Structure formats: structure tokens, C-alpha cells
Amino acid sequence: MIRVIVVDDEALLRSGFQLILSAAADIEVVATTVGAEAVDTVRRVSPDVVLLDIRMPDVDGLTVLGQLRALPRPPIVAMLTTFDADEYILTALRSGAAGFLLKDTEPDQLAQLVRSLAAGGVVLSPKASRAIWQSHPGATAAIDAQADRVQRLTEREREVLVLVAEGLSNTDIGTRIHLSAGTIKDHVSAILTKLRVGSRVQAALLAQRAGLLDGHGRSEPGR
């Protein structure tokens, strides 16, 4: 079972997410709470995944994210937001969030996204990510400079990076391209080193910005 906590200031959203996720046979919503009680609740019930509102009146999601990341065994955290161009999303992703979900995510997609998070995947909407770039020109310039490093990857590493950006875990990537999970882990480590990033989600952002997911990168992949 994948143990999930939903943290949001709106009781209706908490109840809705709990109802949707609890319908999945392999997911258990072990608690729902507001931001001020989030860290204590996580310590008490030890979830696998936390869905965390990025904007709350009692305490902001970035503060809670930092506190959760500092725990001895931090859960996987994905941010919840109403806005696909939320100014805090890039900060959250750089601070260790495994992705973000729009609050109007289709109900039939929600359980699969949680499964992807629990398996070590990242959750990033390409459409929403484009909105982020357009809303944050300063951050875009910095990421463009980093995205140039994608050109240093081998063809196999680019293939793996695309699948990382699509949210697949190492095991799922291995199944897709007929390699062992250990081999994929080695490829991911090499990718992170070459891109000079510290997480899969940062690598996925560079892949999106370089155009690897839509075939319209700023330069063609090398052979």
C-alpha cells in the first residue's frame, strides 16, 4: 500500500482527494491536515507520499517542505497548486519537491501520478512547465544556460532522461528499454553528474527546457 497524506487549508479539497485516492486498491490516505499540523502528522504516521499545498494561510508550503526534507526519513513530496505558473513552483522543485500537481488534475489521473511519485518518478506537466518559463524570464535564462549541458549526454543517456522527465521510475525505465534497474540507476547518476544537478526533478526540468519531450529543442541531439 502507498501511504499518502494530503495537506491543504481547504477541507473540501482534502476530502475530495481522499475520496478519489481511497478508491484505488493500492493507495491509503492515512491522514489529511492543514499546514501547521503537517510535520507532526508526518512524524506520527510516516507516509510514503505527501501532497502539499504550496499556498496556505497558516504556514506556506515552502516552509513545510523544508521541514519535511529535514526529517531523518523524509517522505516524497509533491506540491499542490491552483496556478500552473505559480511563482513558488520553481523554488519548491529546487528545494526537493518531486513535482507538482494542479488541483484540477483529472480524477482518473490522480492515482497514477501518486504511484509514479511513490516509485521514484517525477510529476511535471509539460504544458504547465511552459507556463512557468514564460512567467519567470530570469529563471528561464539561468535554466537555458544549464540546458546546454544536455548536449553533452550520450544518445542512451538522452533516452533515459526523457523517460525520467515523463515520470518513470528506474524499474519502469528498465522495462521500457530492456535494461536492468541497476544499469538505469548508473545512467541516471551519470546524467545528474553531467547536468550538474542534484535531483531527477531538476534533470527533468532541463529536459523539458531543452525540448527533448516535444522534439523542438533549441538544437538537435548529437549522434
Side-chain angles (χ1 to χ4, degrees):
M1 294 291 287
I2 302 170
R3 296 165 57 83
V4 178
I5 287 180
V6 181
V7 181
D8 196 282
D9 62 298
E10 298 180 15
L12 184 59
L13 184 138
R14 295 196 304 269
S15 298
F17 270 48
Q18 182 173 25
L19 181 64
I20 293 168
L21 292 173
S22 295
D26 58 338
I27 297 175
E28 178 184 9
V29 178
V30 293
T32 66
T33 186
V34 295
E37 301 173 6
V39 177
D40 287 342
T41 303
V42 167
R43 287 194 180 107
R44 177 169 52 83
V45 302
S46 300
D48 303 303
V49 175
V50 175
L51 303 181
L52 174 63
D53 189 4
I54 203 167
R55 294 174 179 264
M56 295 177 287
D58 53 352
V59 57
D60 71 86
L62 294 178
T63 298
V64 176
L65 172 63
Q67 294 170 339
L68 293 179
R69 294 290 297 167
L71 293 175
R73 297 181 63 183
I76 297 164
V77 181
M79 310 308 292
L80 297 173
T81 179
T82 306
F83 312 102
D84 56 11
D86 194 304
E87 61 184 299
Y88 297 137
I89 289 175
L90 280 178
T91 300
L93 297 179
R94 289 168 174 164
S95 299
F100 69 94
L101 305 177
L102 299 182
K103 292 185 179 181
D104 60 358
T105 295
E106 293 294 330
D108 59 351
Q109 296 178 1
L110 187 57
Q112 186 53 46
L113 292 173
V114 167
R115 292 186 189 104
S116 179
L117 289 165
V122 300
V123 174
L124 300 172
S125 163
K127 177 181 178 181
S129 296
R130 283 192 291 271
I132 294 172
W133 310 137
Q134 293 168 1
S135 301
H136 302 83
T140 298
I143 290 175
D144 279 348
Q146 291 179 301
D148 287 337
R149 298 173 190 152
V150 171
Q151 308 307 319
R152 305 175 188 174
L153 302 180
T154 66
E155 185 174 349
R156 174 65 82 184
E157 288 167 347
R158 289 177 191 230
E159 182 181 18
V160 170
L161 177 57
V162 167
L163 296 176
V164 166
E166 290 179 355
L168 274 65
S169 67
N170 288 351
T171 299
D172 291 336
I173 294 172
T175 299
R176 178 79 65 87
I177 62 176
H178 310 294
L179 293 173
S180 71
T183 299
I184 298 302
K185 182 178 179 180
D186 291 340
H187 279 309
V188 172
S189 294
I191 290 166
L192 298 184
T193 298
K194 289 183 179 181
L195 296 183
R196 300 180 190 173
V197 296
S199 71
R200 298 168 73 95
V201 70
Q202 291 172 319
L205 285 171
L206 294 188
Q208 288 188 347
R209 188 57 187 168
L212 296 188
L213 302 191
D214 56 20
H216 298 288
R218 290 172 299 118
S219 59
E220 290 297 318
R223 296 295 180 184

